Amino acid sequence: MCNDKDCKCLAEILTVISVLQQNASCCGECCLDTCDRGFLGSAGTTLTANTRPIMLYLCGNNGVPLSMPISKNPDETTTSSAFRVEKIDGCCATFRVLAPNPDETEVATIPYVTTNSFFTLNLNCCCLLRCLNDTYVECI
């Protein structure tokens, strides 16, 4: 997809994820654990999932995931490679950077916290999308 002008594949998956996050409800269906499965979370979870975190890989980045600052502060050096899709507009997608949960007592159930750091990506530059486990993220 790097030099191809068709971002349809990733845009469709990200749209599904975005809609699921907006409607965050979990069902007990058994289906493949894919990025575009029709619900968030899994049967048996006590905390309702509202986010499907993803990692993005850019063309020509040698398999290294995209990493972005967790803060808008230009002096901040901490980055994260976990993101939440917030908006899809054709081949442009806006993502929120997720930071590792600083509360070690909650990491098992709530591995990420939201940040106020966003970025927009031209999906034509993206060649791979990796979905992480569905989770609950506070402060959305």
Side-chain angles (χ1 to χ4, degrees):
M1 191 173 351
C2 297
N3 293 317
D4 188 353
K5 297 300 179 197
D6 181 18
C7 68
K8 185 177 180 180
C9 173
L10 289 178
E12 286 179 0
I13 291 170
L14 291 172
T15 299
V16 168
I17 293 171
S18 179
V19 168
L20 288 171
Q21 289 174 166
Q22 291 168 10
N23 298 321
S25 62
C26 183
C27 67
E29 293 180 30
C30 292
C31 62
L32 295 177
D33 191 14
T34 61
C35 288
D36 59 352
R37 80 179 164 275
F39 62 94
L40 291 176
S42 63
T45 58
T46 57
L47 198 55
T48 303
N50 65 357
T51 299
R52 182 165 293 160
I54 60 170
M55 295 173 72
L56 300 166
Y57 295 79
L58 302 181
C59 302
N61 212 18
N62 296 324
V64 177
L66 177 64
S67 187
M68 297 296 285
I70 64 169
S71 169
K72 291 182 179 180
N73 180 343
D75 297 327
E76 176 68 57
T77 59
T78 305
T79 62
S80 174
S81 57
F83 311 116
R84 182 181 197 276
V85 63
E86 295 290 340
K87 180 182 174 187
I88 306 292
D89 186 12
C91 286
C92 290
T94 300
F95 299 92
R96 179 189 299 262
V97 179
L98 300 175
N101 190 340
D103 186 346
E104 293 182 18
T105 63
E106 292 184 341
V107 169
T109 55
I110 305 175
Y112 305 103
V113 294
T114 58
T115 69
N116 200 25
S117 181
F118 297 86
F119 66 96
T120 300
L121 176 69
N122 180 338
L123 295 176
N124 287 314
C125 300
C126 189
C127 62
L128 188 112
L129 167 77
R130 178 179 175 202
C131 291
L132 305 175
N133 291 333
D134 291 349
T135 188
Y136 176 79
V137 179
E138 291 182 353
C139 300
I140 293 177

